Amino acid sequence: MASPEIDALTQILSRLPGLGPRSARRVVLHLLKRRETALGPLVAALQAVEARLVTCGICGNIDTHDPCSVCADPRRDPASLCVVEEVADLWALDGKRLFAGRFHVLGGRLSALEGVRPEDLGIESLVSRVSGGGFREVVLAMNATLEGQTTMHYLADRLAGLDVSVTMLAHGLPVGGELDFMDEGTLAMALRARKPVA
Amino acid sequence: MASPEIDALTQILSRLPGLGPRSARRVVLHLLKRRETALGPLVAALQAVEARLVTCGICGNIDTHDPCSVCADPRRDPASLCVVEEVADLWALDGKRLFAGRFHVLGGRLSALEGVRPEDLGIESLVSRVSGGGFREVVLAMNATLEGQTTMHYLADRLAGLDVSVTMLAHGLPVGGELDFMDEGTLAMALRARKPVA
């Protein structure tokens, strides 16, 4: 069809999440037709990121600085720590400015199936970070999955002896959730965690 | 949220067709976590294309060579020419190996609304290319839109005096099309163009 270079670019793009062969071709055409306004800026932006990519030595976030922009931000509450499984979770909670403290990225979740053990995750660094003192609260913001909750309980055990309040995210109906469309697990959880009407 | 470089990359990606803020963030995370296997190859592939991007002097295709891979391919029928509005159309017809002749890209369609006149499109180059002789058939493969069809009739007029057979794409029900779901225009077209059952 096209030249080998264009084919190679289309293939690489089609492997990105959310893109397939058709949408990758659309993106390539868009870029080819806008060399100055789209292709050039994209190359420059990718190179700028690639050249400086580092993992934050404090929290495990991926950024172009170490410490990362989150850890370096002085306006954040230094006594509040949110533990997440992945960088994506950090971005989700932080991008919407939902949590204004510090973060700690585990880099995954405990999984017997996938053979992920505690020593494969950033758990020792979390424990020593919290042991170092200065934290009032640690929020365990794991996914509401079996493995996420297993990880959450493991972390709660590990942090139990320390002088810090350990909390977890609430579970229940999502905002706008209709009972009709909820799975049994969510319904059971929402029932079990029911509260008196204020 | 993230560093300025990462934010800039996310913004640029979110302006690509088919991507939005959320999916751009997913792509960025994917790239950041796979520096060697995804980010590096993408940068290299984009640079390879950017460095050599040219518009084919014969047909108007965008490629990394001039003449482009389509024009340079000796296995294609040199006497059959397919005229399309955009490079995307060339790729659509060629990518599925539907048309094995040569192509000519107009770079748009006539449009009174958008002020696109014949001299804004690759029409003179088409007429002189066909006048040069050697073509048996010219397929006018315009979109089945008002502007595409206007362009098609204009081209048919311009090519009328030349010693070449000028054809157009068939219009009617798309394959798998159910009458129930078709718009009136398609149904009217399919009725008007009805043929005896073979």
Short mmCIF file of all heavy atoms in Angstrom, two decimals, chain B residues 10-33:
data_model
loop_
_atom_site.label_atom_id
_atom_site.label_comp_id
_atom_site.label_asym_id
_atom_site.label_seq_id
_atom_site.Cartn_x
_atom_site.Cartn_y
_atom_site.Cartn_z
N THR B 10 0.17 14.80 26.08
CA THR B 10 -1.22 14.35 26.21
C THR B 10 -2.15 15.25 25.40
O THR B 10 -3.04 14.77 24.70
CB THR B 10 -1.64 14.38 27.69
OG1 THR B 10 -0.67 13.69 28.46
CG2 THR B 10 -3.00 13.71 27.88
N GLN B 11 -1.92 16.54 25.45
CA GLN B 11 -2.77 17.47 24.70
C GLN B 11 -2.65 17.25 23.20
O GLN B 11 -3.64 17.27 22.46
CB GLN B 11 -2.39 18.91 25.02
CG GLN B 11 -2.96 19.37 26.34
CD GLN B 11 -3.10 20.88 26.38
OE1 GLN B 11 -2.97 21.54 25.34
NE2 GLN B 11 -3.37 21.41 27.55
N ILE B 12 -1.41 17.08 22.73
CA ILE B 12 -1.20 16.88 21.30
C ILE B 12 -1.88 15.59 20.85
O ILE B 12 -2.55 15.54 19.81
CB ILE B 12 0.30 16.88 20.97
CG1 ILE B 12 0.84 18.31 21.06
CG2 ILE B 12 0.57 16.28 19.60
CD1 ILE B 12 2.32 18.42 20.84
N LEU B 13 -1.72 14.53 21.64
CA LEU B 13 -2.34 13.26 21.28
C LEU B 13 -3.86 13.36 21.30
O LEU B 13 -4.54 12.74 20.47
CB LEU B 13 -1.89 12.16 22.25
CG LEU B 13 -0.47 11.62 22.02
CD1 LEU B 13 -0.07 10.71 23.17
CD2 LEU B 13 -0.39 10.86 20.70
N SER B 14 -4.41 14.16 22.22
CA SER B 14 -5.88 14.22 22.33
C SER B 14 -6.50 14.94 21.14
O SER B 14 -7.71 14.90 20.97
CB SER B 14 -6.28 14.89 23.64
OG SER B 14 -5.98 16.27 23.58
N ARG B 15 -5.69 15.59 20.35
CA ARG B 15 -6.24 16.26 19.15
C ARG B 15 -6.20 15.36 17.92
O ARG B 15 -6.69 15.75 16.85
CB ARG B 15 -5.46 17.55 18.87
CG ARG B 15 -5.79 18.65 19.87
CD ARG B 15 -5.33 20.00 19.37
NE ARG B 15 -3.88 20.12 19.33
CZ ARG B 15 -3.14 20.65 20.32
NH1 ARG B 15 -3.72 21.11 21.40
NH2 ARG B 15 -1.84 20.71 20.20
N LEU B 16 -5.63 14.17 18.04
CA LEU B 16 -5.61 13.25 16.90
C LEU B 16 -7.01 12.69 16.68
O LEU B 16 -7.79 12.55 17.63
CB LEU B 16 -4.62 12.10 17.15
CG LEU B 16 -3.16 12.52 17.22
CD1 LEU B 16 -2.28 11.31 17.52
CD2 LEU B 16 -2.71 13.15 15.91
N PRO B 17 -7.35 12.35 15.43
CA PRO B 17 -8.70 11.84 15.18
C PRO B 17 -8.95 10.53 15.94
O PRO B 17 -8.09 9.66 15.95
CB PRO B 17 -8.72 11.62 13.66
CG PRO B 17 -7.28 11.56 13.25
CD PRO B 17 -6.53 12.42 14.22
N GLY B 18 -10.09 10.43 16.58
CA GLY B 18 -10.44 9.21 17.29
C GLY B 18 -9.95 9.17 18.73
O GLY B 18 -10.31 8.29 19.48
N LEU B 19 -9.11 10.14 19.10
CA LEU B 19 -8.63 10.19 20.48
C LEU B 19 -9.26 11.39 21.17
O LEU B 19 -9.60 12.39 20.54
CB LEU B 19 -7.10 10.31 20.51
CG LEU B 19 -6.31 9.09 20.07
CD1 LEU B 19 -4.83 9.38 20.11
CD2 LEU B 19 -6.61 7.91 20.96
N GLY B 20 -9.41 11.29 22.49
CA GLY B 20 -9.88 12.41 23.30
C GLY B 20 -8.98 12.50 24.52
O GLY B 20 -7.99 11.78 24.59
N PRO B 21 -9.33 13.35 25.47
CA PRO B 21 -8.46 13.52 26.65
C PRO B 21 -8.22 12.21 27.39
O PRO B 21 -7.09 11.91 27.79
CB PRO B 21 -9.25 14.50 27.53
CG PRO B 21 -10.15 15.22 26.59
CD PRO B 21 -10.48 14.25 25.49
N ARG B 22 -9.28 11.42 27.58
CA ARG B 22 -9.12 10.18 28.34
C ARG B 22 -8.25 9.17 27.62
O ARG B 22 -7.36 8.55 28.21
CB ARG B 22 -10.49 9.54 28.59
CG ARG B 22 -11.23 10.08 29.78
CD ARG B 22 -12.50 9.28 29.98
NE ARG B 22 -12.26 8.10 30.80
CZ ARG B 22 -12.33 8.14 32.13
NH1 ARG B 22 -12.61 9.24 32.75
NH2 ARG B 22 -12.11 7.04 32.82
N SER B 23 -8.53 8.96 26.33
CA SER B 23 -7.78 7.94 25.61
C SER B 23 -6.35 8.41 25.38
O SER B 23 -5.42 7.61 25.35
CB SER B 23 -8.47 7.57 24.30
OG SER B 23 -8.92 8.72 23.62
N ALA B 24 -6.15 9.73 25.24
CA ALA B 24 -4.79 10.24 25.10
C ALA B 24 -4.00 9.93 26.36
O ALA B 24 -2.83 9.54 26.29
CB ALA B 24 -4.81 11.74 24.83
N ARG B 25 -4.64 10.09 27.51
CA ARG B 25 -3.94 9.78 28.76
C ARG B 25 -3.60 8.30 28.84
O ARG B 25 -2.51 7.93 29.30
CB ARG B 25 -4.81 10.19 29.95
CG ARG B 25 -4.02 10.56 31.17
CD ARG B 25 -4.91 11.04 32.27
NE ARG B 25 -5.81 9.98 32.74
CZ ARG B 25 -6.73 10.17 33.67
NH1 ARG B 25 -6.90 11.36 34.19
NH2 ARG B 25 -7.49 9.17 34.05
N ARG B 26 -4.51 7.46 28.37
CA ARG B 26 -4.22 6.01 28.36
C ARG B 26 -3.02 5.72 27.47
O ARG B 26 -2.15 4.91 27.80
CB ARG B 26 -5.43 5.23 27.82
CG ARG B 26 -6.49 4.95 28.84
CD ARG B 26 -6.96 3.48 28.85
NE ARG B 26 -7.25 2.92 27.55
CZ ARG B 26 -8.35 3.19 26.84
NH1 ARG B 26 -9.25 4.03 27.30
NH2 ARG B 26 -8.54 2.61 25.68
N VAL B 27 -2.98 6.38 26.30
CA VAL B 27 -1.86 6.16 25.38
C VAL B 27 -0.56 6.63 26.01
O VAL B 27 0.47 5.94 25.94
CB VAL B 27 -2.12 6.89 24.03
CG1 VAL B 27 -0.86 6.91 23.19
CG2 VAL B 27 -3.26 6.22 23.28
N VAL B 28 -0.59 7.81 26.64
CA VAL B 28 0.63 8.34 27.26
C VAL B 28 1.13 7.39 28.34
O VAL B 28 2.32 7.05 28.39
CB VAL B 28 0.37 9.75 27.85
CG1 VAL B 28 1.54 10.18 28.73
CG2 VAL B 28 0.18 10.76 26.73
N LEU B 29 0.22 6.91 29.19
CA LEU B 29 0.63 5.96 30.23
C LEU B 29 1.24 4.71 29.64
O LEU B 29 2.26 4.20 30.13
CB LEU B 29 -0.58 5.58 31.07
CG LEU B 29 -0.79 6.42 32.31
CD1 LEU B 29 -2.16 6.21 32.89
CD2 LEU B 29 0.28 6.07 33.35
N HIS B 30 0.61 4.22 28.58
CA HIS B 30 1.11 3.04 27.89
C HIS B 30 2.55 3.29 27.42
O HIS B 30 3.44 2.45 27.60
CB HIS B 30 0.18 2.74 26.70
CG HIS B 30 0.62 1.62 25.82
ND1 HIS B 30 0.21 0.32 25.99
CD2 HIS B 30 1.45 1.61 24.75
CE1 HIS B 30 0.77 -0.44 25.07
NE2 HIS B 30 1.52 0.32 24.30
N LEU B 31 2.76 4.46 26.82
CA LEU B 31 4.09 4.78 26.29
C LEU B 31 5.11 4.95 27.41
O LEU B 31 6.24 4.47 27.32
CB LEU B 31 4.01 6.06 25.45
CG LEU B 31 3.22 5.97 24.14
CD1 LEU B 31 3.09 7.34 23.50
CD2 LEU B 31 3.87 5.00 23.18
N LEU B 32 4.69 5.64 28.48
CA LEU B 32 5.64 5.93 29.57
C LEU B 32 6.10 4.64 30.24
O LEU B 32 7.25 4.52 30.66
CB LEU B 32 4.98 6.82 30.62
CG LEU B 32 4.58 8.23 30.17
CD1 LEU B 32 4.15 9.06 31.37
CD2 LEU B 32 5.71 8.92 29.44
N LYS B 33 5.18 3.68 30.32
CA LYS B 33 5.53 2.44 31.00
C LYS B 33 6.32 1.48 30.10
O LYS B 33 6.81 0.46 30.56
CB LYS B 33 4.26 1.75 31.51
CG LYS B 33 3.58 2.52 32.64
CD LYS B 33 2.29 1.90 33.04
CE LYS B 33 2.52 0.64 33.86
NZ LYS B 33 1.22 0.12 34.36
#
